[in-house]
Amino acid sequence: MANSSPNSGTAMAVKKWKKKRGSLIMALHEIQDIKGYVPWEDAQEVAVGMGVPLARIYEVLTFYNYFKLEAPGKAVISVCLGTACHLKGNDEVLKEFEKELGVKEGTSTEDKLFHLQSVRCVGCCGLAPVVVINGKTYGKVTPSNVRSMIEEWQNNFANETDVA
Amino acid sequence: MTEMVKAIIDGVEIEVEKGTTILDAARKVNIDIPTLCKHPDVEASAACGICVVKIEGRPNMVRSCCTPLDNGMNVITKDPEIIGVRRTVIELILSNHPNECLTCMRSGHCELQDLASEFGMRETNLPSLVKKKEKDESTKAIVLDPSKCVHCGRCVEVCQNQQNVHALSFLGRGLPTQIAAAGGIDLADSPCIKCGQCSAHCPTGAITEYDETQKVWDMIMENEDHVVVQIAPAVRVAIGEEFGYPIGTNLTGKLYSALRMMGFDKVFDTNFGADLTIMEEGSEFVQRFTKGTAPLPLVTSCCPAWVDLMEKYHPDMIENFSTCKSPHEMVGALTKTYYAEKMGIDPAKIKVVSIMPCTAKKYEISRDDSMSSSGFQDVDVVLTTRELARMIKQAGIKFRDLEEVEADNPLGEYTGAGTIFGYTGGVMTAALRSAYALITNEELPDDVIDFKPIAGLEGVKEAEVEIQGKTVKIAVAHGTGNVEKVMEKVRSARENGEEPPYHFIEVMACRGGCVAGGGQPRVISSDVPRPRGINDEIRMRRAKGLMGEDKDAKLRRSHQNPSISKLYDDYLDAPLSKKSHELLHTHYVARSTYKR
């Protein structure tokens, strides 16, 4: 059964969307925006709150690549494999990320610092091949840039910890 | 008046109701278009692509399962090009299907194997994409083998829409799509009620019963054990399909013979338990109806899938539930007490095997403590009709040549009321026959004994019966998807402080009742029309087999069963006595739909 403690973000998303037919995806989007993924307990809360069987919710969650079922790493690395980026060799960049981070596409590193995913076109094909990390766009990337991009974010996180 | 459309299929002029699909229209003129995913119980999903046909004047082939026939259409269902496309589709499916027919439980009864054979698939040029995926045996009733799934969607459609259970779903998309419970959890931790309708509708070996035949062979081999077997009503009219009999043939006497030859020490009949259930449940109803001892409506409890669903989805109905165990559980409890004492056998040495049309019964035998009321687990193993058929074949028994014999005493005698437990409306009919006698001390006249309004396959059937000037309102629902509206009616009357809309409700989880249970044969023969698998015609033919046995029975009312009277005189005292409650009744708890 759903979490008995009110899960405020999720509860609000359910409240906002439950009256509108066909808005399950909107509610799930909001939960993922807040939490970075859709936890099992939250999916159950949506099921109860919106009156949609959990089985149907997971059909939606697993159909769309966009939804994550597990907490992603702090830095989400999106390697574009849209037509332009693909033709310009971004698959090699993705492979390099997989090698450097020791994870497969679609998964996170064990320390939960990095989540690696491929996306289809981020809308700036002029910069191809493109990688986006937590909203920051890197253009004309080559496999040799990968190491420094990772280090940049490792340093960001290290500084954050120092401040804290 | 319904609008009709006129068209031509393979040169044959045809007129059908507007909206009829090409596939269904073709069948009306005996043109068989092959299909794998379309099943009469489910909406067309256009998943498999085998049913393609040509329509003159259109550039592309269309899927006949989801294309309505239209005025003036000229449909071609077969030519070398169409057959070629169908072969390619089958080849594509086979490229993602393990080549394990020899060791597959579904071998010989598989719709995909049947298609591949019909189309003469001998070799394939496509690389194999088969990935071994883990089986889910967590329910110990139904086994999911996603490696053998062809993504036809029948099971998901049936689980979600026909049964309204929503345990099974499609996870992922594209090639890696998998049938599983939400989040990929074990089926046993999901809302699954083990009804097995997914397995009844699966065209391949992807969903099967949990096989326990070896366990039973081991029991039979163990000399120390006294192994008792019982057969459910619906088994006797379905097992014949495995041995080439016409659908619905009643083979009770031969079945008893086969069971004896297999080495069971005693052969009892669950129909005896059905008669006993009527005595207990009928008395429960009479008490509630005439004395108001507990709330109405009374709801029947013989179907374990329904019990599981009620505990998960309708726990507010617990006090309306009959506390009666299901018939085979009653027989199990009495075998290890009454029979053991009578024969002087140590109950620890007795093993009870129930042959059931049902996969949920495998779950039921250990669902709670009351299933061990004899001090031992009352029923040790449940085998489905399909498993029994395999065992009979393994034993080399020539079923058709068997003699017809009688069951053993004291738990083998039954009336016509017991045998009709196997189809929708039957339990209610049997209960009313005895309730009438219990209330009025008179017998219901033979000409009204059949309660025609509650026979048949309507999803929810309602009727009113006059007993001593009082009207008894009854409802019969089957296919758990039909239960919701009945429960909602009861709930809303209760909340508004109104009279309950019904006094007595019968529920069976499977459409048509146990005759179409999740453990029944899935034989492919020329006698079984396409699309293959269970359908309403098979449901009715099996039900008629049981109706026939009831009609021909000398005794057609449970309270007339002499063995039942003797049981009460010698052992139980009276219906609803203290001893009856200990051995024949159970209790219910609210259960969560998801265990995580």
Side-chain angles (χ1 to χ4, degrees):
Chain A
M1 286 277 103
N3 251 348
S4 50
S5 61
N7 203 334
S8 62
T10 301
M12 272 166 62
V14 169
K15 202 174 157 197
K16 181 168 161 194
W17 294 108
K18 76 172 183 191
K19 292 234 169 75
K20 227 173 142 215
R21 241 186 99 79
S23 46
L24 172 66
I25 290 183
M26 302 308 290
L28 296 175
H29 266 265
E30 269 185 38
I31 293 166
Q32 178 148 314
D33 284 347
I34 297 165
K35 308 205 161 183
Y37 73 114
V38 183
W40 169 265
E41 290 73 19
D42 296 64
Q44 285 197 317
E45 198 175 332
V46 173
V48 174
M50 296 185 72
V52 181
L54 194 64
R56 299 306 299 272
I57 293 178
Y58 270 86
E59 286 186 335
V60 171
L61 288 174
T62 60
F63 184 86
Y64 295 104
N65 237 337
Y66 174 83
F67 289 114
K68 295 187 186 66
L69 302 180
E70 276 168 38
K74 276 171 87 175
V76 178
I77 305 169
S78 304
V79 181
C80 181
L81 291 181
T83 313
C85 290
H86 192 73
L87 287 173
K88 290 219 165 191
N90 226 12
D91 51 334
E92 289 303 320
V93 175
L94 180 64
K95 271 188 208 150
E96 188 63 20
F97 270 114
E98 287 185 331
K99 207 174 97 195
E100 282 290 332
L101 295 171
V103 296
K104 282 256 165 242
E105 188 267 317
T107 61
S108 300
T109 55
E110 253 178 51
D111 59 8
K112 292 283 170 198
L113 279 188
F114 293 98
H115 179 82
L116 180 64
Q117 63 183 22
S118 67
V119 292
R120 296 283 185 274
C121 194
V122 290
C124 48
C125 308
L127 298 175
V130 174
V131 170
V132 182
I133 304 181
N134 280 13
K136 182 175 175 186
T137 308
Y138 299 79
K140 306 214 184 295
V141 183
T142 64
S144 59
N145 301 138
V146 164
R147 184 71 249 158
S148 65
M149 288 159 76
I150 292 172
E151 276 165 8
E152 177 189 336
W153 284 89
Q154 278 169 338
N155 289 336
N156 285 352
F157 293 134
N159 293 339
E160 264 177 35
T161 331
D162 290 348
V163 175
Chain B
M1 222 185 87
T2 41
E3 205 181 323
M4 304 296 279
V5 294
K6 268 189 185 166
I8 296 171
I9 301 180
D10 289 349
V12 182
E13 272 189 49
I14 178 172
E15 191 172 7
V16 293
E17 263 179 47
K18 196 179 161 98
T20 308
T21 63
I22 295 174
L23 183 81
D24 290 338
R27 291 216 166 100
K28 285 190 206 289
V29 286
N30 282 327
I31 295 167
D32 189 21
I33 303 173
T35 167
L36 194 56
C37 69
K38 180 66 185 88
H39 185 282
D41 288 348
V42 304
E43 293 288 324
S45 62
C48 75
I50 289 169
C51 69
V52 288
V53 295
K54 285 179 182 171
I55 299 170
E56 200 180 63
R58 293 209 191 168
N60 298 327
M61 293 187 195
V62 300
R63 298 182 184 209
S64 61
C65 69
C66 54
T67 311
L69 195 69
D70 210 350
N71 266 321
M73 267 185 185
N74 185 5
V75 181
I76 300 136
T77 76
K78 50 178 104 39
D79 67 17
E81 203 182 1
I82 296 171
I83 292 168
V85 170
R86 288 179 188 155
R87 285 181 60 96
T88 305
V89 172
I90 296 169
E91 208 177 339
L92 284 164
I93 294 171
L94 294 185
S95 72
N96 193 25
H97 193 85
N99 219 342
E100 289 172 9
C101 289
L102 275 179
T103 49
C104 179
M105 196 191 281
R106 199 65 193 272
S107 187
H109 304 322
C110 169
E111 294 178 49
L112 180 59
Q113 193 185 45
D114 186 46
L115 262 181
S117 156
E118 265 181 25
F119 278 80
M121 309 303 289
R122 293 293 170 262
E123 55 189 19
T124 165
N125 298 316
L126 299 174
S128 171
L129 296 170
V130 176
K131 278 212 178 94
K132 196 74 199 155
K133 292 173 185 157
E134 222 178 300
K135 281 189 193 178
D136 181 345
E137 301 187 306
S138 59
T139 62
K140 304 277 181 222
I142 297 161
V143 179
L144 296 188
D145 185 352
S147 322
K148 291 178 183 162
C149 174
V150 293
H151 302 166
C152 69
R154 287 184 191 175
C155 59
V156 173
E157 172 81 15
V158 164
C159 183
Q160 296 194 356
N161 299 331
Q162 180 177 297
Q163 297 300 79
N164 202 17
V165 172
H166 289 94
L168 276 181
S169 57
F170 276 129
L171 292 184
R173 68 167 165 187
L175 203 57
T177 305
Q178 186 164 337
I179 40 160
I185 58 168
D186 281 351
L187 201 57
D189 296 336
S190 83
C192 175
I193 58 169
K194 283 72 78 181
C195 67
Q197 283 303 301
C198 52
S199 80
H201 289 82
C202 177
T204 71
I207 311 182
T208 57
E209 65 278 14
Y210 181 74
D211 188 292
E212 292 175 283
T213 51
Q214 191 53 49
K215 212 163 157 183
V216 173
W217 280 132
D218 291 346
M219 279 176 186
I220 292 173
M221 283 299 288
E222 177 59 59
N223 282 333
E224 293 281 296
D225 284 348
H226 183 77
V227 190
V228 170
V229 68
Q230 55 172 322
I231 58 166
V235 174
R236 67 205 68 213
V237 288
I239 190 126
E241 292 160 37
E242 296 269 6
F243 300 98
Y245 286 89
I247 297 166
T249 310
N250 182 353
L251 293 159
T252 312
K254 283 185 190 292
L255 250 181
Y256 294 155
S257 273
L259 293 166
R260 288 220 176 92
M261 285 182 73
M262 285 164 67
F264 288 105
D265 296 299
K266 283 283 172 204
V267 179
F268 291 153
D269 202 311
T270 311
N271 286 6
F272 171 88
D275 277 337
L276 186 58
T277 302
I278 289 302
M279 295 308 292
E280 295 290 324
E281 198 167 87
S283 304
E284 236 181 324
F285 173 72
V286 170
Q287 279 206 352
R288 289 189 191 207
F289 187 70
T290 59
K291 297 193 190 122
T293 49
L296 288 167
L298 179 69
V299 184
T300 61
S301 58
C302 349
C303 169
W306 161 230
V307 167
D308 198 23
L309 185 92
M310 183 277 294
E311 290 186 322
K312 283 170 176 162
Y313 286 100
H314 306 285
D316 60 320
M317 294 290 160
I318 284 178
E319 57 174 3
N320 292 86
F321 245 58
S322 164
T323 56
C324 286
K325 288 181 186 172
S326 69
H328 87 110
E329 281 293 342
M330 290 193 180
V331 171
L334 289 173
T335 301
K336 294 191 181 182
T337 53
Y338 172 60
Y339 168 74
E341 284 170 36
K342 220 176 155 104
M343 303 293 288
I345 304 172
D346 175 5
K349 294 267 177 353
I350 299 180
K351 297 281 179 264
V352 176
V353 177
S354 301
I355 314 292
M356 298 282 127
C358 179
T359 42
K361 296 274 177 199
K362 285 178 182 277
Y363 150 81
E364 180 190 30
I365 56 173
S366 56
R367 61 171 274 274
D368 75 2
D369 293 350
S370 64
M371 300 297 134
S372 303
S373 58
S374 62
F376 307 89
Q377 188 172 303
D378 297 332
V379 173
D380 295 273
V381 183
V382 165
L383 295 179
T384 57
T385 313
R386 297 196 286 266
E387 288 166 272
L388 175 65
R390 287 201 293 275
M391 290 180 78
I392 294 173
K393 289 172 189 171
Q394 284 164 21
I397 293 169
K398 286 190 172 169
F399 194 87
R400 297 184 75 100
D401 297 341
L402 290 174
E403 233 184 291
E404 295 191 21
V405 297
E406 298 288 320
D408 289 309
N409 281 321
L411 307 174
E413 191 172 20
Y414 62 91
T415 71
T419 210
I420 58 175
F421 258 58
Y423 61 82
T424 171
V427 173
M428 182 61 77
T429 301
L432 289 172
R433 289 177 190 172
S434 287
Y436 187 91
L438 283 169
I439 295 174
T440 63
N441 283 322
E442 284 168 28
E443 294 300 346
L444 200 60
D446 272 348
D447 54 333
V448 293
I449 206 169
D450 286 328
F451 297 101
K452 290 254 158 53
I454 55 170
L457 291 176
E458 194 67 37
V460 177
K461 298 166 281 187
E462 297 172 329
E464 293 185 354
V465 183
E466 291 289 322
I467 302 183
Q468 261 186 351
K470 277 196 197 167
T471 306
V472 180
K473 292 186 213 163
I474 55 175
V476 173
H478 57 118
T480 44
N482 292 313
V483 178
E484 189 77 36
K485 36 192 178 230
V486 176
M487 292 300 127
E488 233 7 89
K489 245 174 145 172
V490 174
R491 207 169 273 136
S492 103
R494 187 172 59 196
E495 277 159 15
N496 298 326
E498 294 162 7
E499 282 283 302
Y502 310 108
H503 300 114
F504 204 171
I505 299 172
E506 177 208 283
V507 176
M508 296 187 188
C510 299
R511 178 171 170 79
C514 318
V515 285
Q520 291 283 59
R522 305 180 290 192
V523 173
I524 291 174
S525 70
S526 53
D527 198 31
V528 181
R530 262 212 279 236
R532 308 294 199 193
I534 185 70
N535 60 39
D536 283 353
E537 190 193 325
I538 298 177
R539 290 182 175 102
M540 278 321 292
R541 283 171 70 179
R542 289 178 185 161
K544 281 189 181 134
L546 293 178
M547 289 175 196
E549 186 177 27
D550 172 37
K551 275 216 174 66
D552 296 340
K554 265 189 243 135
L555 300 173
R556 300 182 64 189
R557 297 161 182 85
S558 297
H559 54 276
Q560 297 170 331
N561 183 335
S563 295
I564 295 273
S565 309
K566 190 163 166 42
L567 169 68
Y568 280 115
D569 289 346
D570 289 358
Y571 196 69
L572 292 174
D573 191 21
L576 308 182
S577 68
K578 189 167 169 289
K579 193 134 201 171
S580 291
H581 267 288
E582 277 168 23
L583 293 175
L584 310 181
H585 290 256
T586 180
H587 42 77
Y588 309 100
V589 290
R591 294 180 204 266
S592 59
T593 45
Y594 284 93
K595 285 196 189 132
R596 195 175 117 192

